[in-house]
Amino acid sequence: MAIVNRTPDSFYDKGATFGMETALKRCDEVIAAGASIIDIGGVKAGPGEEVDSAEEIDRVVPTIARVHERHPDALISVDTWRSEVAAAAIAAGAGLINDTWAGWDPQLIEVAGHHRVGYVCSHTGGITPRTRPHRVHFDDVVADVIAETTALAEKAAGLGCPEELIFIDPTHDFGKNTYHGLELLRRIDEIVDTGWPVLMALSNKDFVGETLARAVGDRVAGTLAATAWAAAHGVAAFRVHEVAETVDVIRMTAAIQGTAAPRDTTRGLA
C-alpha cells in the first residue's frame, strides 16, 4: 500500500505530492515499483491546519478519479475518518476505506458496507482524531488491539464488506507509545492468528525513530527491519513511503522462507 499525501504538511514528505501532477506522477511510479494498493489521503494525521470535509473532498476525490482513469486495475484506498469523504471517494473509484481513526465516525463503516468496498479496521485507544497520546496505558495492548479490530472486522463483514478486503491494523503510534509499538511487533503472531489479513503502517513512524534515536529522514533502515520481521510472521500488507525497497524486503523474506522463487538466477548455473 503506497502512501500518496494530498497534503501540504505531511510529517515525512512535507507536501511533496500536494500538487495534482506530482501526486499523479507518484501514483504512476509506485504502481511501476510494485504497489498493489494506492492510499490517498487529504488530511495530515497529526495536529496541524484544520481541514474540513469539503476541503478534504477537494483534495482527494479528483485525485482518485484521475488515478482510477489512468490505472483502472489498481485498488485505490482513501485515508479518511469521515463518512461523507468516503462516499465521494467511492463514487470516484476508491475500493478500500482506510479508517485510521477506528470508527470515530460510526457511519463510515456503514458506507463501506453499503457500497461493498474494503475496510481497514484500526486501533487508537479511543483518542480524538489528529491528537497525540499522553501517558497512555493498556493492561495488555495486544489483547486490546485484537478485541477492537476484530470487532470492527466482524461488523464490516456483516454490513457487506468483502472479507478478503477487510484488514486489521494495529495502528502504530496512534494512541500508543514506543513500547507498545515494539510489543505489537514482538507478539504479531497473536494478531495474525485471528485469521483476518493484517495491515501494518510502520513507515518512518515515531516508534522507529525513538527506538533508534533517528530523525524522521533517517528511519528507513529501521522501518525495513521492522517490515522484514512482520513479513516473516505473516503480515499481509504494508502502508509505506518507500515502495521499491519494501517490495524487495517482502520478496527477499519470501524467498528465504521458500514461498517465492528467486527472480533472476544465473550465478553458478550458467
Side-chain angles (χ1 to χ4, degrees):
M1 176 188 273
I3 298 167
V4 180
N5 292 314
R6 289 298 322 280
T7 58
D9 54 356
S10 167
F11 88 98
Y12 184 65
D13 63 40
K14 309 300 183 185
T17 54
F18 182 48
M20 174 65 82
E21 293 308 314
T22 54
L24 293 175
K25 181 181 178 183
R26 161 80 173 165
C27 291
D28 294 343
E29 290 172 347
V30 296
I31 288 172
S36 56
I37 307 172
I38 309 301
D39 191 47
I40 298 172
V43 183
K44 178 183 177 181
E49 172 193 350
E50 175 66 23
V51 180
D52 63 20
S53 58
E55 174 64 20
E56 186 180 359
I57 287 170
D58 285 345
R59 290 179 179 184
V60 300
V61 170
T63 314
I64 290 168
R66 293 280 299 276
V67 175
H68 183 58
E69 181 181 2
R70 290 159 80 114
H71 303 283
D73 295 329
L75 176 59
I76 302 171
S77 169
V78 61
D79 177 358
T80 188
W81 75 90
R82 293 167 167 150
S83 55
E84 62 270 31
V85 177
I90 293 166
L96 178 66
I97 306 304
N98 183 14
D99 178 9
T100 51
W101 291 101
W104 184 263
D105 178 348
Q107 294 182 328
L108 182 54
I109 193 170
E110 296 177 5
V111 168
H114 175 76
H115 291 282
R116 303 293 193 267
V117 300
Y119 184 76
V120 178
C121 308
S122 301
H123 174 277
T124 65
I127 64 171
T128 301
R130 306 193 68 195
T131 61
R132 298 193 185 280
H134 177 69
R135 297 193 181 279
V136 63
H137 169 78
F138 299 96
D139 290 336
D140 184 333
V141 67
V142 176
D144 208 275
V145 163
I146 289 172
E148 183 171 324
T149 59
T150 57
L152 283 170
E154 289 163 7
K155 182 175 182 179
L159 288 169
C161 295
E163 290 194 15
E164 68 276 11
L165 288 179
I166 298 173
F167 295 91
I168 61 173
D169 178 4
T171 324
H172 282 74
D173 284 5
F174 283 55
K176 303 172 192 70
N177 62 32
T178 291
Y179 297 103
H180 296 139
L182 292 171
E183 185 169 1
L184 288 167
L185 282 165
R186 193 176 303 121
R187 295 170 57 191
I188 187 58
D189 288 345
E190 296 173 48
I191 302 173
V192 171
D193 285 347
T194 64
W196 294 101
V198 177
L199 181 147
M200 275 196 165
L202 308 171
S203 193
N204 301 297
K205 284 198 166 178
D206 285 348
F207 89 96
V208 175
E210 289 188 0
T211 298
L212 302 176
R214 296 291 187 188
V216 171
D218 297 316
R219 298 174 183 177
V220 174
T223 295
L224 295 177
T227 299
W229 171 274
H233 287 80
V235 170
F238 296 91
R239 183 180 183 271
V240 302
H241 298 97
E242 283 79 24
V243 172
E245 294 86 344
T246 303
V247 169
D248 280 354
V249 165
I250 293 168
R251 285 175 175 159
M252 193 70 193
T253 302
I256 293 167
Q257 291 176 316
T259 58
R263 303 183 76 206
D264 183 18
T265 53
T266 57
R267 190 176 192 279
L269 300 175

